[in-house]
Amino acid sequence: MSTLRYNYFQLSQKSFQNLLALSNGLNRELLGKKLVDLVLLRVSQINGCGFCIDMHYQDLLKMDVDPRHVNAVAGWREAPFFSERERAALEWSELINAIPVRDPDDAAFGRVKEHFSDEEIAELGFVVAVIRSWNMLNVASRNPIPR
């Protein structure tokens, strides 16, 4: 179990509030709350943020998403629980989360375009950008998972 290195949410209150406002301002209706939380969970898994993994896992369970479905997010490519739309969102999210190590190519963009409008793809980008920020802050500060 980690110990909090520094309390960024108290030390940088204005910036914390601005990031929180951006998080709360995500258009969950446009993409669907479940899809947004699946992406938040997957990106947090990739970025190794235990605090965010726990939070978004719990959020999905509160939405009555089948625990097997939630548990399989890390293995979405093999798991039968995901719709084609969810698969496209998860793939695109993984790709843009990996920038600059990987560059989302035109083929990947074509796959996400089959299921999402340009507005939805832009919003998906903000979902990934927001969770990457939270992941970075929580991992760097070693924000512990609440008991």
Side-chain angles (χ1 to χ4, degrees), residues 37-57 73 97 127-128 130-132 134-136 138-139:
D37 275 298
L38 287 171
V39 168
L40 294 172
L41 176 58
R42 181 62 188 131
V43 173
S44 296
Q45 289 172 334
I46 293 167
N47 294 335
C49 182
F51 182 89
C52 293
I53 291 168
D54 182 66
M55 178 191 310
H56 298 297
Y57 181 88
V73 169
N97 183 58
V127 171
V128 174
V130 165
I131 196 60
R132 274 183 77 155
W134 288 119
N135 293 163
M136 178 207 58
N138 286 315
V139 171

Side-chain angles (χ1 to χ4, degrees), residues 9 16 43 45 50 52 58 64 67 69 77 99 103 132 140 143:
F9 33 95
F16 171 78
V43 173
Q45 289 172 334
C52 293
Q58 295 297 329
D64 291 325
H69 187 144
R77 286 174 180 83
I99 293 171
D103 181 23
R132 274 183 77 155
N143 194 10

Side-chain angles (χ1 to χ4, degrees), residues 23-24 52 69 81 117:
S23 292
N24 291 334
C52 293
H69 187 144
F81 311 115
S117 68

